[in-house]
Amino acid sequence: MSNRRQVRELALQMLYQLDARGEADLEQISATVQEAPFGHEVRKQATQLAEQAWAQRATADELASEVAPDWPTHRQPVVDRNLIRLAYHEMVSGRAPTAVAINEAIELAKSYSSERSPSFINGVLDRLARKLHEKPGAEGEADASAGPAAEPSTGDAWLDDAIKDKPDAE
């Protein structure tokens, strides 16, 4: 496993704890990250990444809810919404190219979330990436045809399929 994957994995764990316990326990949550079996630099980068993604969660949540109105953030599994937050931060901060951020979120979903989560996360992040590229004043109109949005129907099909495939009531 690469150091970047380890950083994302540990950041996801920290985001999960922040989501469950709140910022009041930030010191304790940071202490648990320091006990993780990764190197010092991985733990340091993961803590920074998680804190930055957490700080942008309101914007990420709002945009994710816009592109998946049937699955607003409060209805998403905790892991899924934090993967979306993490990928959103990586995309807007330039920490990772859009395609990489989306792919990494999908791979983490395969390990840490439900069977349906990878397709849901792919659809939400694909639509989110398109929305970010459409913003007025965004540089490079050609960006809309690059990256994961190169096949327009794929992102919509994934999301539409995931939305239709709501959890059973039983």
Side-chain angles (χ1 to χ4, degrees), residues 21-114:
R21 298 167 61 179
E23 290 181 55
D25 288 337
L26 182 59
E27 191 173 310
Q28 286 181 308
I29 293 168
S30 295
T32 62
V33 168
Q34 297 311 313
E35 296 170 4
F38 300 117
H40 172 71
E41 192 59 31
V42 168
R43 292 189 308 261
K44 178 181 169 189
Q45 288 179 23
T47 300
Q48 290 173 344
L49 178 59
E51 288 174 354
Q52 291 166 354
W54 183 253
Q56 290 184 320
R57 75 186 179 284
T59 304
D61 291 355
E62 179 182 333
L63 291 171
S65 293
E66 285 178 20
V67 299
D70 290 340
W71 285 94
T73 306
H74 71 275
R75 289 191 59 206
Q76 297 169 7
V78 178
V79 172
D80 293 6
R81 74 173 159 250
N82 284 298
L83 283 170
I84 292 167
R85 290 168 175 168
L86 186 60
Y88 170 80
H89 170 70
E90 288 194 301
M91 289 188 292
V92 299
S93 70
R95 187 178 194 284
T98 299
V100 172
I102 293 171
N103 186 57
E104 287 295 316
I106 293 166
E107 290 302 314
L108 287 169
K110 289 177 184 176
S111 296
Y112 291 100
S113 201
S114 73

